[in-house]
């Protein structure tokens, strides 16, 4: 097997660029908070917030996110006995040190695997029922995400977008509360006032986070880059020699009907899908 080349994938860099509008909105929010908290040093809070992005590169953060975001747990002794030799083989094919990565398990009846942060490789309990060589191919795909920098970039973008997303979420909750309260009062005046207040909140939210206006454009582009990242991880796994085995896994999923829901979905759902269809992945792996 050939060792995979360790490099940032263009889709990871694209994701970083697509996150710029939201990150700038977060910066504006932090700056406004800083103006209220530290008026004599307006630069202080934005600088601290910007430096805080380094937290996503702290290995312990990966472990926390694995639990909170994906409900991953440490493997049992029996699971470790199965997974560790497989990860060692994959890392050997990639030319990387296995000790850099931590295995985690998700209790799920669906065959699934994931890369979290910069170090976690997770698999579902259902995925562990795959034949060992196919499970090895699945882990190679997830390692491909780590080698390409997909997971670190996604985590960094998420961190810097958090202030804007929290603010928009809070505004939406307040707006909904005002609208419901106005209609519960039942009087025409109350309804009109509630609508006016909601519109005022919307204008304020857009002024604070202009990225909201770009969501109809950014969301499909972000989904597109996510699909490209999946195809890239497949390619990395193939470079390590796992192409045929990965094809077997994908063909298994096709037989289980994984592509049926996508075929029935509308255009919008297909544009916002984070993963390419199994058929597309198979076609790319076959070089078509």
């Amino acid at each position: 097997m050939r060792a995979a080349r360790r490099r940032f994938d263009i889709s990871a860099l694209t994701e970083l660029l697509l996150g710029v509008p939201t990150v700038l909105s977060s910066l504006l929010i932090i700056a406004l908070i800083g103006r209220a908290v530290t008026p004599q040093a307006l630069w202080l809070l934005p600088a601290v917030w910007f430096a805080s992005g380094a937290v996503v590169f702290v290995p312990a953060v990966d472990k926390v996110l694995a639990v909170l975001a994906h409900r991953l747990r440490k493997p049992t002794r029996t699971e470790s006995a199965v997974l560790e030799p497989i990860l060692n083989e994959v890392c050997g094919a990639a030319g990387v040190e296995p000790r850099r990565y931590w295995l985690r398990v998700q209790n799920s009846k669906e065959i699934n695997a994931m890369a979290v942060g910069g170090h976690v490789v997770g698999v579902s309990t259902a995925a562990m029922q795959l034949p060992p060589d196919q499970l090895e191919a699945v882990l190679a795909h997830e390692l491909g995400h780590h080698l390409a920098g997909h997971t670190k970039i996604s985590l960094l973008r998420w961190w810097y977008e958090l202030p804007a997303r929290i603010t928009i979420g809070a505004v939406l909750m307040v707006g909904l509360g005002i609208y419901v309260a106005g209609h519960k009062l039942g009087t025409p005046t109350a309804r009109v006032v509630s609508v006016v207040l909601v519109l005022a909140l919307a204008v304020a939210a857009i002024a604070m986070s202009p990225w909201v206006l770009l969501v109809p454009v950014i969301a499909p582009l972000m989904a597109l880059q996510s699909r490209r990242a999946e195809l890239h991880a497949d390619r990395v796994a193939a470079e390590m020699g796992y192409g045929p085995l990965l094809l077997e896994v994908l063909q298994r999923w096709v037989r289980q009907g994984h592509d049926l829901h996508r075929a029935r979905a509308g255009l919008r759902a297909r544009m916002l899908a984070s993963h390419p269809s199994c058929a597309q992945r198979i076609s790319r792996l076959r070089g078509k």
Side-chain angles (χ1 to χ4, degrees):
M1 296 182 181
R2 294 184 298 168
R5 290 178 292 170
R6 298 175 60 190
R7 65 184 187 276
F8 272 124
D9 173 33
I10 187 64
S11 62
L13 298 176
T14 302
E15 177 175 352
L16 196 60
L17 291 174
L18 289 173
V20 167
T22 317
V23 173
L24 290 177
S25 296
S26 290
L27 178 59
L28 174 60
I29 292 167
I30 295 297
L32 290 173
I33 296 173
R35 185 175 181 177
V37 177
T38 56
Q40 303 304 319
L42 298 178
W43 56 270
L44 182 59
L45 194 58
V48 170
W49 170 73
F50 184 76
S52 72
V55 73
V56 304
F57 297 103
V58 176
V61 172
D62 292 351
K63 293 181 179 180
V64 174
L65 286 175
V67 175
L68 296 180
H70 301 281
R71 298 182 181 179
L72 296 174
R73 58 172 174 78
K74 288 184 178 181
T76 64
R77 287 187 179 181
T78 302
E79 291 167 339
S80 292
V82 173
L83 291 172
E84 286 181 3
I86 292 176
L87 181 63
N88 290 340
E89 287 292 329
V90 172
C91 288
V96 296
E97 176 56 53
R99 288 178 295 181
R100 291 183 55 193
Y101 302 100
W102 303 318
L103 288 163
R104 292 294 185 268
V105 176
Q106 181 186 67
N107 294 326
S108 174
K109 296 180 180 180
E110 294 185 6
I111 297 176
N112 192 21
M114 63 217 70
V116 180
H119 303 84
V120 174
V121 177
V123 296
S124 66
T125 47
M128 292 191 63
Q129 305 305 313
L130 290 169
D133 54 354
Q134 292 185 10
L135 180 57
E136 194 171 330
V138 170
L139 291 187
H141 170 91
E142 299 308 327
L143 186 63
H145 283 302
H146 283 308
L147 296 175
H150 296 152
T151 48
K152 286 184 179 179
I153 290 295
S154 293
L155 186 55
L156 185 64
R157 178 182 60 81
W158 172 82
W159 178 261
Y160 282 133
E161 287 181 347
L162 205 53
R165 293 186 180 278
I166 290 175
T167 300
I168 292 299
V171 169
L172 288 174
M173 289 182 63
V174 171
L176 180 61
I178 292 173
Y179 182 81
V180 171
H183 279 66
K184 278 189 174 182
L185 290 175
T187 65
T189 301
R191 292 178 180 177
V192 170
V193 169
S194 69
V195 171
V196 170
L197 288 176
V198 168
L199 290 175
L201 272 176
V203 171
I206 291 172
M208 187 171 291
S209 296
W211 71 274
V212 172
L213 297 175
L214 298 175
V215 166
V217 176
I218 291 179
L221 291 176
M222 197 70 80
L224 176 62
Q225 76 76 27
S226 178
R227 295 193 295 272
R228 287 178 173 173
E230 293 298 324
L231 295 173
H232 179 85
D234 282 348
R235 186 162 65 251
V236 173
E239 289 176 359
M240 288 189 280
Y242 292 100
L245 290 170
L246 195 54
L247 278 172
E248 290 180 12
V249 176
L250 292 169
Q251 288 165 345
R252 172 194 288 263
W253 287 344
V254 169
R255 290 193 297 270
Q256 292 175 347
H258 278 231
D259 280 357
L260 290 178
H261 177 72
R262 181 186 295 269
R264 296 167 182 167
L267 177 61
R268 174 179 168 78
R270 293 197 296 272
M271 289 179 64
L272 295 178
S274 62
H275 283 60
S277 66
C278 292
Q280 184 181 4
R281 293 175 66 180
I282 290 170
S283 178
R284 289 294 184 91
L285 282 170
R286 288 174 172 171
K288 295 181 180 179

